[in-house]
Amino acid sequence: MTSIARSILIGAALALAGCNAATDDRNDSASPADRKGGERMVAPVLLTEDAKDIHSYAQPAAARVTHVALDLAANFRDKRMEGSATLDLQTAPDAKEIVLDSKGLEIGGITDGQGRALKYAVGPADPNLGAPLTIQLGGAKQIKINYRSAPEAGALQWLTPEQTAGKKHPFLFSQGQSILNRTWIPTQDSPGIRQTWEARIVVPEGLRAVMSAEDLTPKGEKAEGGRAYRFRMDKPVAPYLIALAVGDIGFKSLGPRTGVYSEPSMLDAAASELADTEKMIDAAEKLYGPYRWDRYDMIVLPPSFPFGGMENPRLTFLTPTMIAGDRSLVSLIAHELAHSWSGNLVTNATWSDFWLNEGFTSYFENRIMEALYGRERAVMEQALAWEDLQKEIAETEGGMSSPATKLHIDLKGKDPDEGLTGIPYDKGAAFLRMIEQTVGRERFDAYLRSYFDRHAFQPMTTKLFLEDLRKNLVKGDAELEKKLMIDQWVYQPGIPANAIVPQAPEFQRVDQAAKQFAAGALPVQNLGFGQWGTAERVRFLNGLPRQLPAERLAALDRAYQLSNIRNNEVLFAWLRLAIANRYDPAVPAVERFLTSMGRRKFVAPLFEDLVKQGEWGRPIAKRIYAKARATYHPVTTGTVDKTMKGGGAS
Ligand code: BES
Ligand code: ZN
């Protein structure tokens, strides 16, 4: 028996132990979790060694959560979510207890489904993982936990009215990935333990709650202390994908199954920027099969959202910095949408398998971009990612031989977000692109489509993926096996020799222009910069030497208004260039940018760049950080604090 079959059987056997039986019918097109009908879907848990999640206290072989029902109120005054979580469990016949993940939760009491008190204990807390919450079951198949989250819960950012666009109402949003949801939801917070869920959220009158689930009450309902909003996710999802936003939130429809939420003043700009979303779904479905989450909505959050995007099912969370006015940054949408397959449908079983989420998604993102905007733009984006990958490896201690450059990574003793780099994204995508170009696109697409179908709503480990790839794509072809160098790509550091470097012909012109401009041989108005798209502009700015005469920088800035440009990717590339040149006139723009948003991808490198500029940059960094820090999300301050303390790279 293959280890795929074995691990699934173990998962299925465990599922059978509970009342909602799940059987191993994954050879049919419908996986266990896909089944329709009255009873709740239960997804299998993998119990093999490679699927063991070192970032969770859960012991799913003994007892696991299958469903979470939240009943919570958002208390903005105290910065707490307060109420209860009712969990449905499946337990092995001899299981006496269940272990949940928790971090900073204040537990009021735990009962079984009938309201009988259950004994529980909170174990010692680890700074990254939080503490195990062990509950004596006494045969219970359902437990209710009364609790509240701590004001400093890492998953929650409580914004004051001043931190919003409207300035009148407070705002709250959650960010679960990777192991933050245990700071507001007491459950088994492991990506391999999928759970269906529902929620009732009470918020102050005048505010609206939205979640990554079906919205049962778009207008809300009258409730004690405010308005209640109810949600239901009937597909089993990894618990890091449960997400909430509360604020003065409006909605605009974009198409039959797409729409956008945001603060009212940003709705029109957001809707216009995201107008191509419906087409992206169509393109994605043509590539890798049906979109299985019914609707795809997005919410544009206030500027402190620390990421570009987060693929919360049915409701992608987005940074407002993606609004460029010309739809030039929508590869971010292609990316988060692609996660509806790679990540949300087939999910990394552990955070060591993170590349299965992000590498597949980066590859898929680029295929969607190609389908919508053509090959040229897609290849330019590949080439930029390739350049980033080379730089990132060069800046990693140990370079090409650093273990951090492996796809499957060892996270022992680490927070999964600590080693978060571009490598799983860009090396992962380069690996899949190499396979595509080796076996041919048609064959690879057919394989990927069948992969998503076979493993829908299930966790996936690196080892299982490689088994699946060999069984269904390589099929014993020894010559192909040798050509692909699969194990080297996945388990060894660096970039294998069979990598295929993306060639964007447009970039040859751009690189040439950068060289000539740097040498003073090409006047600014003859650059072509005005006609270029975002990718070319970024490539050009990144390609300029880090020592340029101030008047050349001034000419660039003047001609193309770089310090005031609306496109944040171009602005970011410009400010990095300016800082590396210790170019004083750009400092106000640096300050404006760093005090207007908190996206870590922009914030962290700019502070690093400033600190690297010693006596020139460090005081600037200090001054701006003193002003901006309070507005940033803990994800962002966590990274920047290290830079400011250490004085080196983060
Ligand atoms: N899922 C990630 C964001 C994430 C990763 C959050 C790890 C926490 C831990 C999301 O899909 C992502 O990759 N976002 C990128 C954008 C993308 C286009 C590379 C980002 O936020 O920059
Ligand atoms: Zn992603």
Side-chain angles (χ1 to χ4, degrees):
M1 185 163 42
T2 67
S3 84
I4 295 190
R6 193 166 52 241
S7 53
I8 292 303
L9 282 177
I10 296 168
L14 177 66
L16 278 165
C19 45
N20 298 318
T23 53
D24 181 19
D25 58 356
R26 68 199 246 131
N27 292 330
D28 302 343
S29 62
S31 67
D34 246 347
R35 198 139 7 89
K36 295 265 147 51
E39 45 178 72
R40 280 200 190 111
M41 301 178 200
V42 175
V45 174
L46 302 171
L47 297 174
T48 47
E49 198 48 37
D50 57 316
K52 202 174 145 46
D53 179 6
I54 59 169
H55 296 104
S56 169
Y57 292 105
Q59 292 164 19
R64 65 165 288 202
V65 175
T66 60
H67 182 80
V68 178
L70 300 173
D71 190 353
L72 297 170
N75 180 338
F76 279 86
R77 194 198 57 202
D78 298 343
K79 300 190 181 175
R80 292 180 191 273
M81 296 300 294
E82 325 178 299
S84 67
T86 302
L87 311 180
D88 291 351
L89 316 179
Q90 281 188 344
T91 53
D94 56 347
K96 301 257 178 318
E97 54 184 44
I98 186 163
V99 187
L100 308 178
D101 295 297
S102 72
K103 196 172 180 185
L105 301 179
E106 293 175 18
I107 311 285
I110 302 179
T111 64
D112 67 7
Q114 281 73 49
R116 283 186 292 255
L118 298 176
K119 284 202 179 127
Y120 66 91
V122 180
D126 173 276
N128 294 333
L129 307 183
L133 168 56
T134 305
I135 300 148
Q136 302 306 316
L137 291 174
K141 297 280 186 247
Q142 190 178 64
I143 55 176
K144 181 176 180 191
I145 303 161
N146 290 302
Y147 73 102
R148 57 185 193 173
S149 62
E152 58 279 1
L156 304 175
Q157 196 184 16
W158 303 85
L159 301 177
T160 62
E162 297 71 49
Q163 288 174 286
T164 66
K167 313 277 180 217
K168 282 209 189 74
H169 301 278
F171 202 101
L172 162 69
F173 66 82
S174 74
Q175 163 62 38
Q177 197 178 14
S178 299
I179 56 169
L180 295 171
N181 265 351
R182 60 192 66 178
T183 65
W184 73 289
I185 305 173
T187 188
Q188 293 177 318
D189 188 14
S190 172
I193 308 178
R194 307 178 79 94
Q195 297 148 40
T196 53
W197 62 276
E198 64 193 288
R200 176 177 176 272
I201 307 286
V202 177
V203 305
E205 200 60 61
L207 301 188
R208 178 171 184 183
V210 293
M211 291 191 87
S212 52
E214 186 186 345
D215 190 346
L216 300 174
T217 54
K219 294 194 170 1
E221 301 165 333
K222 234 177 125 73
E224 206 187 300
R227 265 190 116 58
Y229 293 84
R230 289 185 292 110
F231 306 91
R232 175 175 62 207
M233 171 49 74
D234 60 5
K235 313 211 165 27
V237 296
Y240 71 88
L241 294 170
I242 303 176
L244 166 71
V246 178
D248 180 14
I249 295 171
F251 175 77
K252 201 161 173 174
S253 173
L254 296 170
R257 50 181 170 169
T258 56
V260 61
Y261 296 90
S262 78
E263 288 190 69
S265 67
M266 296 181 49
L267 259 186
D268 287 339
S272 144
E273 202 74 19
L274 301 170
D276 285 343
T277 308
E278 197 81 36
K279 280 188 231 153
M280 285 190 176
I281 305 179
D282 295 339
E285 287 188 308
K286 275 209 192 95
L287 284 167
Y288 302 128
Y291 178 75
R292 310 199 192 208
W293 308 89
D294 306 325
R295 289 195 57 83
Y296 183 79
D297 293 315
M298 295 154 284
I299 178 166
V300 177
L301 292 160
S304 70
F305 183 59
F307 297 107
M310 178 64 214
E311 66 272 24
N312 299 129
R314 296 178 64 113
L315 185 62
T316 282
F317 281 28
L318 292 174
T319 171
T321 64
M322 63 83 50
I323 299 180
D326 59 4
R327 302 178 193 163
S328 62
L329 303 180
V330 293
S331 60
L332 175 66
I333 308 306
H335 181 96
E336 304 313 334
L337 172 65
H339 273 306
S340 306
W341 286 258
S342 41
N344 298 357
L345 195 58
V346 182
T347 309
N348 54 206
T350 77
W351 297 113
S352 289
D353 305 304
F354 181 63
W355 78 276
L356 292 178
N357 277 16
E358 298 300 344
F360 274 64
T361 294
S362 299
Y363 171 80
F364 191 173
E365 162 200 332
N366 197 255
R367 295 295 305 275
I368 296 172
M369 291 303 285
E370 179 178 332
L372 260 81
Y373 307 107
R375 188 151 174 82
E376 269 182 23
R377 178 161 168 190
V379 176
M380 282 194 274
E381 291 185 358
Q382 283 172 26
L384 283 182
W386 179 263
E387 192 189 350
D388 286 346
L389 177 61
Q390 301 304 316
K391 268 194 223 155
E392 179 138 23
I393 295 177
E395 285 165 14
T396 305
E397 202 185 312
M400 285 286 183
S401 46
S402 163
T405 65
K406 296 178 185 181
L407 286 178
H408 184 262
I409 44 174
D410 181 7
L411 291 170
K412 221 171 285 138
K414 287 190 196 151
D415 188 298
D417 300 344
E418 217 176 276
L420 190 60
T421 70
I423 287 156
Y425 293 77
D426 299 333
K427 182 179 170 183
F431 175 41
L432 298 188
R433 217 166 39 238
M434 180 281 297
I435 303 176
E436 178 214 295
Q437 294 182 22
T438 307
V439 304
R441 187 172 264 196
E442 211 175 315
R443 186 168 156 200
F444 190 50
D445 282 353
Y447 165 71
L448 280 182
R449 168 155 189 170
S450 74
Y451 168 80
F452 289 124
D453 286 344
R454 272 194 304 279
H455 303 288
F457 299 106
Q458 290 171 25
M460 179 59 57
T461 65
T462 298
K463 184 161 166 273
L464 281 180
F465 165 62
L466 296 190
E467 280 176 20
D468 187 277
L469 184 74
R470 289 191 161 107
K471 179 161 174 244
N472 297 294
L473 185 76
V474 182
K475 295 184 174 164
D477 180 340
E479 204 178 314
L480 178 59
E481 174 74 42
K482 210 169 140 206
K483 259 197 216 157
L484 294 177
M485 306 168 78
I486 296 170
D487 290 314
Q488 193 184 330
W489 272 95
V490 173
Y491 294 116
Q492 299 299 321
I495 306 293
N498 67 352
I500 300 170
V501 182
Q503 302 291 346
E506 297 78 10
F507 281 180
Q508 287 172 9
R509 282 189 291 111
V510 172
D511 293 350
Q512 194 57 30
K515 239 193 220 135
Q516 292 182 330
F517 176 74
L522 185 63
V524 78
Q525 61 277 12
N526 296 350
L527 272 180
F529 191 95
Q531 287 80 56
W532 289 339
T534 298
E536 287 125 310
R537 290 176 173 199
V538 168
R539 171 80 173 203
F540 173 78
L541 292 167
N542 287 347
L544 288 178
R546 306 286 108 168
Q547 300 98 23
L548 276 176
E551 70 271 11
R552 209 149 304 147
L553 291 165
L556 253 188
D557 196 7
R558 215 177 313 113
Y560 305 110
Q561 289 298 301
L562 293 177
S563 290
N564 293 308
I565 203 152
R566 183 145 175 228
N567 185 307
N568 288 299
E569 295 285 348
V570 178
L571 178 63
F572 175 63
W574 158 245
L575 295 177
R576 293 198 82 172
L577 174 69
I579 292 170
N581 277 286
R582 301 193 177 189
Y583 180 64
D584 283 304
V587 172
V590 172
E591 178 163 352
R592 260 199 317 279
F593 192 43
L594 286 173
T595 52
S596 67
M597 56 86 224
R599 182 175 175 186
R600 182 171 65 178
K601 173 187 150 176
F602 294 145
V603 170
L606 288 175
F607 277 109
E608 260 179 49
D609 290 354
L610 283 169
V611 166
K612 268 192 216 144
Q613 295 305 321
E615 79 281 12
W616 179 83
R618 185 174 261 287
I620 300 172
K622 269 197 163 156
R623 180 171 58 75
I624 299 178
Y625 198 44
K627 206 164 139 188
R629 189 179 185 281
T631 69
Y632 293 157
H633 189 281
V635 160
T636 300
T637 54
T639 304
V640 181
D641 281 352
K642 282 187 210 142
T643 306
M644 299 304 288
K645 271 195 209 105
S650 66

